[in-house]
Amino acid sequence: MRAGTRAPSLWRDRDFLTFWCAQTMSVAGDSFALIAVPLLVLNVTGSVAQMGLLTGVSGAASVAAGIFAGVLADRFDRRRLLIACDVIRLVLFTAIPVVWAFGEHVWLLFGVLPLAAAVGMVFQVTYVTAVRGLAGETRVTEANGMLYATAAAAGILGPSLAGVVSGHLGPTAAIAINAASFGLSAVGVLLTRPSRYAVEAVAAPAPKGRPWRELLAGAEFLVRHPVLRTLTILLSFFVFMTLGLTDIVIYRLKHDLGQTDSVVGVVLGVGAAGTMIGSMLVARVRRALGFGPSWIGAQVLSGLAILCLGLAGNVWGVAAIMALYLACVSVAGICSMSLRQQVTPEHLLGRVTSAFWTIHFSLGPVGAAVLGWAAARYGATAVFALAGASCLVLALVALLTPVRQRHAERAPAT
């Protein structure tokens, strides 16, 4: 493209539009599993502790896969990698309704879901790095906005439909729909041109004789950057206290408030509207306040929202508070991702993304299991109080660190 020529609109880019539509359908399918899997466990076992344990085991598998996901995304054909991840998850999630047709086997979930979570981590890291090639450097912000906005929209409708499907046909039917969504995603990627996913030649070769240096390159970059280093530590504790929060919300709706599967889906669908609101406001908020105040402010509101979840005594109160909480999580998450993209050299983006997610999710599986156990023993209200107070403490700590800065500079490349 000649200098000064404006890049063509993404609305006229067949490859990107195909990818965008396929990923929107895939996100909608994911929201079915988000509702259906906890309902399946709760309906069979009646145990919120089992729900938390399954979330924890799956999270641990995701963390383990994250160690290698960045290297795979930076070194291999990203298009083929995305398709392979979708096909594997299609097979794994299809196995659940097929086996369930012959009897209820909770053990299957503890085998299938951790594997699916590990493959999902590889997909997510590769997805982040592939968008740049699909959209082009001058259009990557527009592309991220489109993908995130439609993902949020799918997250509104998906849980509501998942609740209806689970209520009428059972949770396994909703899981089958999720499996089909992975097939759609694979077809969408397959229909795009391979050249749009090429890894740029700027990638540095792996140090000879020291393969672990390549795996650790992303972590080393995070350690050297003062804002990303502190942010990773703070987010590790945040994820510890919130990864299992959806399970606790479902438990409160089902156990404490006596609601049906359909109502659970509607509540989480209404709550997901907050994600869309947050994604629409984040650019304006960050321009006005800068990174630090935006991120810390979102953490404060998140903590207050979680505290209020323990006090909400009706369905619509829970839905409204979930919307506020997810809007704040959206603002904080997009700010964090944007900062990481801005300060990370291109050839390290996959490994830095992988290291960031792996480290800050490392405590999440334990936290999910602990929250499930605590809810079963002490009740959902006590868990919400502890999680909300912890988020407020993290926001206070952030005020004393480099995270409070309005802007952050690029660290030197390796």
Coordinates of all heavy atoms in Angstrom, one line a residue, residues 231-290:
L231 N 1.2 -5.3 37.6 CA -0.1 -5.6 37.2 C -0.3 -7.1 37.2 O -1.4 -7.6 37.6 CB -0.4 -5.0 35.8 CG -1.8 -5.0 35.2 CD1 -2.7 -4.1 36.1 CD2 -1.8 -4.6 33.8
T232 N 0.6 -7.8 36.7 CA 0.5 -9.3 36.7 C 0.3 -9.9 38.1 O -0.5 -10.8 38.3 CB 1.8 -9.9 36.0 OG1 2.0 -9.4 34.7 CG2 1.6 -11.4 35.9
I233 N 1.1 -9.3 39.1 CA 1.0 -9.8 40.5 C -0.4 -9.5 41.0 O -1.1 -10.3 41.6 CB 2.1 -9.2 41.3 CG1 3.4 -9.6 40.9 CG2 1.8 -9.5 42.8 CD1 4.6 -8.9 41.5
L234 N -0.9 -8.3 40.8 CA -2.2 -7.9 41.3 C -3.3 -8.7 40.7 O -4.2 -9.1 41.4 CB -2.4 -6.4 41.1 CG -1.5 -5.4 41.8 CD1 -1.8 -4.0 41.4 CD2 -1.8 -5.5 43.3
L235 N -3.2 -8.9 39.4 CA -4.2 -9.7 38.7 C -4.2 -11.2 39.1 O -5.3 -11.8 39.1 CB -4.1 -9.6 37.2 CG -4.6 -8.3 36.5 CD1 -4.2 -8.2 35.1 CD2 -6.1 -8.3 36.7
S236 N -3.1 -11.7 39.6 CA -3.1 -13.1 40.0 C -4.0 -13.2 41.3 O -4.7 -14.2 41.4 CB -1.6 -13.4 40.4 OG -0.8 -13.4 39.3
F237 N -3.9 -12.3 42.2 CA -4.8 -12.3 43.4 C -6.2 -12.0 43.0 O -7.1 -12.6 43.6 CB -4.2 -11.4 44.4 CG -3.0 -11.8 45.0 CD1 -1.7 -11.3 44.7 CD2 -2.9 -12.8 46.0 CE1 -0.5 -11.7 45.2 CE2 -1.8 -13.2 46.6 CZ -0.6 -12.7 46.2
F238 N -6.4 -11.1 42.0 CA -7.8 -10.8 41.6 C -8.5 -12.1 41.0 O -9.6 -12.4 41.4 CB -7.8 -9.7 40.6 CG -9.2 -9.4 40.0 CD1 -10.1 -8.6 40.7 CD2 -9.5 -9.8 38.8 CE1 -11.3 -8.4 40.2 CE2 -10.8 -9.6 38.2 CZ -11.7 -8.8 39.0
V239 N -7.7 -12.8 40.2 CA -8.3 -14.0 39.6 C -8.5 -15.1 40.6 O -9.5 -15.8 40.6 CB -7.3 -14.5 38.5 CG1 -7.8 -15.9 38.0 CG2 -7.3 -13.5 37.3
F240 N -7.6 -15.1 41.6 CA -7.8 -16.1 42.7 C -9.2 -15.9 43.4 O -9.9 -16.9 43.7 CB -6.7 -15.9 43.8 CG -6.9 -16.8 45.0 CD1 -6.4 -18.1 45.0 CD2 -7.5 -16.3 46.1 CE1 -6.5 -18.9 46.1 CE2 -7.7 -17.1 47.3 CZ -7.2 -18.4 47.3
M241 N -9.6 -14.7 43.6 CA -10.8 -14.4 44.3 C -12.1 -14.3 43.4 O -13.2 -14.3 43.9 CB -10.7 -13.0 45.0 CG -9.7 -13.0 46.1 SD -9.8 -14.3 47.3 CE -11.5 -14.1 47.9
T242 N -11.9 -14.4 42.0 CA -13.0 -14.2 41.2 C -13.3 -15.2 40.1 O -14.3 -15.3 39.5 CB -13.0 -12.8 40.4 OG1 -11.8 -12.8 39.6 CG2 -12.9 -11.7 41.4
L243 N -12.3 -16.1 39.9 CA -12.4 -17.1 38.8 C -13.7 -18.0 39.0 O -14.4 -18.3 38.0 CB -11.2 -18.0 38.7 CG -11.2 -19.0 37.5 CD1 -11.3 -18.3 36.2 CD2 -10.0 -19.9 37.6
G244 N -14.0 -18.3 40.2 CA -15.1 -19.2 40.5 C -16.4 -18.4 40.8 O -17.4 -19.0 41.3
L245 N -16.4 -17.1 40.6 CA -17.5 -16.3 41.0 C -18.8 -16.6 40.3 O -19.9 -16.6 40.9 CB -17.2 -14.8 40.8 CG -17.9 -13.8 41.7 CD1 -17.6 -14.0 43.1 CD2 -17.6 -12.4 41.2
T246 N -18.7 -17.0 39.0 CA -20.0 -17.3 38.3 C -20.6 -18.6 38.9 O -21.8 -18.7 39.0 CB -19.6 -17.6 36.8 OG1 -19.1 -16.4 36.2 CG2 -20.9 -18.0 36.0
D247 N -19.8 -19.5 39.3 CA -20.3 -20.7 40.0 C -21.1 -20.3 41.2 O -22.2 -20.9 41.5 CB -19.2 -21.7 40.4 CG -18.6 -22.4 39.2 OD1 -19.1 -22.3 38.1 OD2 -17.5 -22.9 39.3
I248 N -20.6 -19.4 42.0 CA -21.2 -19.0 43.2 C -22.5 -18.2 42.9 O -23.5 -18.4 43.7 CB -20.3 -18.1 44.1 CG1 -18.9 -18.8 44.2 CG2 -20.9 -17.8 45.5 CD1 -19.0 -20.2 44.8
V249 N -22.5 -17.4 41.9 CA -23.7 -16.7 41.5 C -24.8 -17.7 41.1 O -26.0 -17.6 41.5 CB -23.5 -15.7 40.3 CG1 -24.8 -15.2 39.8 CG2 -22.6 -14.6 40.8
I250 N -24.5 -18.7 40.3 CA -25.4 -19.8 39.9 C -25.9 -20.5 41.1 O -27.1 -20.8 41.3 CB -24.8 -20.7 38.9 CG1 -24.5 -20.0 37.6 CG2 -25.7 -22.0 38.7 CD1 -23.7 -20.9 36.6
Y251 N -25.0 -20.8 42.1 CA -25.4 -21.5 43.3 C -26.4 -20.7 44.1 O -27.4 -21.2 44.6 CB -24.2 -21.8 44.1 CG -24.5 -22.5 45.5 CD1 -24.9 -23.8 45.5 CD2 -24.3 -21.7 46.7 CE1 -25.1 -24.4 46.8 CE2 -24.5 -22.3 47.9 CZ -25.0 -23.7 47.9 OH -25.2 -24.3 49.1
R252 N -26.1 -19.3 44.2 CA -27.0 -18.5 44.9 C -28.4 -18.4 44.3 O -29.4 -18.5 45.0 CB -26.5 -17.1 45.1 CG -27.4 -16.1 45.8 CD -26.6 -14.9 46.3 NE -27.5 -13.9 46.9 CZ -28.0 -14.0 48.1 NH1 -27.7 -15.1 48.9 NH2 -28.8 -13.1 48.6
L253 N -28.4 -18.3 43.0 CA -29.7 -18.3 42.3 C -30.5 -19.6 42.4 O -31.7 -19.6 42.7 CB -29.5 -18.0 40.8 CG -29.0 -16.6 40.5 CD1 -28.6 -16.5 39.0 CD2 -30.1 -15.5 40.7
K254 N -29.8 -20.7 42.3 CA -30.5 -22.0 42.4 C -30.8 -22.4 43.8 O -31.9 -22.9 44.1 CB -29.6 -23.1 41.7 CG -29.4 -22.9 40.3 CD -30.6 -23.5 39.5 CE -30.6 -25.0 39.6 NZ -31.7 -25.6 38.8
H255 N -29.8 -22.3 44.7 CA -29.9 -22.8 46.1 C -30.6 -21.8 47.0 O -31.6 -22.2 47.7 CB -28.6 -23.2 46.6 CG -28.6 -23.8 48.0 ND1 -28.5 -23.0 49.1 CD2 -28.7 -25.0 48.4 CE1 -28.5 -23.8 50.2 NE2 -28.7 -25.0 49.8
D256 N -30.1 -20.6 47.0 CA -30.7 -19.6 48.0 C -32.0 -19.0 47.5 O -32.9 -18.7 48.3 CB -29.6 -18.5 48.2 CG -28.4 -19.0 48.8 OD1 -28.3 -20.1 49.3 OD2 -27.4 -18.2 48.8
L257 N -32.1 -18.7 46.2 CA -33.3 -18.0 45.7 C -34.3 -18.9 45.0 O -35.3 -18.5 44.5 CB -32.9 -16.9 44.7 CG -32.0 -15.8 45.3 CD1 -31.6 -14.7 44.3 CD2 -32.6 -15.2 46.6
G258 N -33.9 -20.2 44.8 CA -34.8 -21.2 44.3 C -35.3 -21.0 42.8 O -36.4 -21.3 42.5
Q259 N -34.3 -20.5 42.0 CA -34.7 -20.2 40.6 C -34.4 -21.4 39.7 O -33.7 -22.3 40.0 CB -33.9 -19.0 40.1 CG -34.2 -17.7 41.0 CD -35.6 -17.3 41.0 OE1 -36.3 -17.3 39.9 NE2 -36.2 -17.0 42.1
T260 N -35.1 -21.3 38.5 CA -34.9 -22.4 37.5 C -33.7 -22.1 36.6 O -33.1 -21.1 36.6 CB -36.2 -22.4 36.6 OG1 -36.2 -21.2 35.8 CG2 -37.4 -22.6 37.4
D261 N -33.3 -23.2 35.8 CA -32.2 -23.0 34.9 C -32.4 -21.9 33.9 O -31.5 -21.1 33.5 CB -32.0 -24.3 34.1 CG -31.5 -25.5 34.9 OD1 -31.3 -25.3 36.1 OD2 -31.3 -26.6 34.4
S262 N -33.7 -21.7 33.4 CA -34.0 -20.6 32.5 C -33.7 -19.3 33.1 O -33.2 -18.4 32.4 CB -35.4 -20.7 32.0 OG -35.7 -21.9 31.3
V263 N -34.1 -19.1 34.3 CA -33.9 -17.8 35.0 C -32.4 -17.6 35.2 O -31.9 -16.4 35.0 CB -34.6 -17.8 36.4 CG1 -34.2 -16.6 37.2 CG2 -36.1 -17.8 36.2
V264 N -31.6 -18.6 35.5 CA -30.2 -18.5 35.7 C -29.6 -17.9 34.3 O -28.8 -17.0 34.3 CB -29.5 -19.8 36.0 CG1 -28.0 -19.7 35.9 CG2 -29.9 -20.2 37.4
G265 N -30.0 -18.5 33.2 CA -29.5 -18.0 31.9 C -29.9 -16.6 31.6 O -29.1 -15.8 31.1
V266 N -31.1 -16.2 32.0 CA -31.6 -14.8 31.7 C -30.8 -13.8 32.6 O -30.3 -12.8 32.1 CB -33.1 -14.7 32.0 CG1 -33.5 -13.2 32.0 CG2 -33.9 -15.5 31.0
V267 N -30.6 -14.2 33.9 CA -29.8 -13.3 34.8 C -28.4 -13.1 34.3 O -27.9 -12.0 34.2 CB -29.8 -13.9 36.2 CG1 -28.8 -13.1 37.1 CG2 -31.2 -13.8 36.8
L268 N -27.7 -14.2 33.9 CA -26.3 -14.0 33.4 C -26.3 -13.3 32.0 O -25.3 -12.7 31.7 CB -25.7 -15.4 33.3 CG -25.4 -16.1 34.7 CD1 -24.6 -17.3 34.5 CD2 -24.7 -15.1 35.7
G269 N -27.4 -13.5 31.2 CA -27.4 -12.8 30.0 C -27.6 -11.3 30.2 O -26.9 -10.5 29.5
V270 N -28.4 -10.9 31.1 CA -28.6 -9.5 31.5 C -27.3 -9.0 32.0 O -26.8 -7.9 31.7 CB -29.7 -9.3 32.5 CG1 -29.7 -7.9 33.0 CG2 -31.1 -9.7 31.9
G271 N -26.6 -9.8 32.9 CA -25.4 -9.4 33.4 C -24.3 -9.1 32.4 O -23.5 -8.2 32.4
A272 N -24.3 -10.0 31.3 CA -23.4 -9.9 30.3 C -23.5 -8.6 29.5 O -22.6 -8.2 28.8 CB -23.5 -11.1 29.3
A273 N -24.7 -7.9 29.6 CA -24.9 -6.6 28.9 C -23.8 -5.6 29.4 O -23.4 -4.7 28.7 CB -26.3 -6.1 29.1
G274 N -23.4 -5.8 30.7 CA -22.4 -5.0 31.3 C -21.1 -5.1 30.5 O -20.4 -4.1 30.4
T275 N -20.8 -6.3 30.0 CA -19.6 -6.4 29.2 C -19.6 -5.5 28.0 O -18.6 -4.9 27.6 CB -19.4 -7.9 28.8 OG1 -19.3 -8.7 30.0 CG2 -18.1 -8.1 28.0
M276 N -20.7 -5.5 27.3 CA -20.9 -4.6 26.1 C -20.8 -3.1 26.5 O -20.1 -2.4 25.8 CB -22.2 -4.9 25.4 CG -22.4 -4.0 24.2 SD -23.9 -4.4 23.3 CE -23.3 -5.8 22.4
I277 N -21.4 -2.8 27.6 CA -21.4 -1.4 28.0 C -19.9 -1.0 28.3 O -19.5 0.1 28.0 CB -22.3 -1.2 29.2 CG1 -23.8 -1.4 28.8 CG2 -22.1 0.2 29.8 CD1 -24.7 -1.4 30.0
G278 N -19.2 -1.8 29.1 CA -17.9 -1.5 29.4 C -17.0 -1.4 28.2 O -16.1 -0.5 28.1
S279 N -17.2 -2.3 27.2 CA -16.3 -2.3 26.0 C -16.6 -1.0 25.2 O -15.7 -0.5 24.5 CB -16.6 -3.5 25.2 OG -17.9 -3.5 24.6
M280 N -17.8 -0.5 25.3 CA -18.1 0.7 24.5 C -17.6 2.0 25.2 O -17.3 3.0 24.6 CB -19.7 0.8 24.4 CG -20.3 -0.3 23.5 SD -22.1 -0.3 23.5 CE -22.5 1.3 22.8
L281 N -17.4 1.9 26.5 CA -17.0 3.1 27.3 C -15.5 3.2 27.5 O -15.0 4.2 27.8 CB -17.7 3.1 28.6 CG -19.2 3.3 28.6 CD1 -19.8 3.3 30.0 CD2 -19.6 4.7 28.0
V282 N -14.8 2.0 27.4 CA -13.4 2.0 27.9 C -12.5 2.9 27.2 O -11.6 3.6 27.8 CB -12.9 0.5 27.8 CG1 -12.9 0.0 26.4 CG2 -11.5 0.4 28.4
A283 N -12.7 3.1 25.8 CA -11.8 4.0 25.1 C -11.9 5.4 25.6 O -10.9 6.1 25.8 CB -12.1 3.9 23.6
R284 N -13.2 5.8 25.8 CA -13.4 7.2 26.3 C -12.9 7.4 27.7 O -12.3 8.4 28.0 CB -14.9 7.5 26.2 CG -15.3 8.9 26.6 CD -16.8 9.1 26.4 NE -17.2 8.8 25.1 CZ -18.5 8.8 24.7 NH1 -19.5 9.0 25.6 NH2 -18.8 8.5 23.5
V285 N -13.1 6.4 28.5 CA -12.7 6.4 29.9 C -11.1 6.5 30.0 O -10.6 7.4 30.7 CB -13.2 5.2 30.7 CG1 -12.5 5.2 32.1 CG2 -14.7 5.3 30.9
R286 N -10.5 5.7 29.2 CA -9.0 5.7 29.3 C -8.4 7.0 28.7 O -7.4 7.5 29.2 CB -8.5 4.5 28.5 CG -7.0 4.4 28.7 CD -6.3 3.2 28.0 NE -4.9 3.2 28.2 CZ -4.1 2.4 27.6 NH1 -4.5 1.5 26.8 NH2 -2.8 2.4 27.9
R287 N -9.0 7.5 27.7 CA -8.5 8.8 27.1 C -8.7 9.9 28.2 O -7.8 10.8 28.3 CB -9.3 9.2 25.9 CG -8.9 8.5 24.6 CD -9.4 9.2 23.4 NE -10.9 9.3 23.4 CZ -11.6 8.3 22.8 NH1 -11.1 7.3 22.2 NH2 -13.0 8.5 22.8
A288 N -9.8 9.9 28.9 CA -10.0 10.9 29.9 C -9.2 10.8 31.1 O -8.7 11.8 31.7 CB -11.5 11.0 30.3
L289 N -9.0 9.5 31.6 CA -8.3 9.3 32.9 C -6.9 8.8 32.8 O -6.1 8.9 33.8 CB -9.2 8.4 33.7 CG -10.6 8.8 34.0 CD1 -11.3 7.7 34.8 CD2 -10.7 10.1 34.7
G290 N -6.6 8.1 31.7 CA -5.3 7.4 31.6 C -5.5 6.0 32.1 O -6.5 5.6 32.7

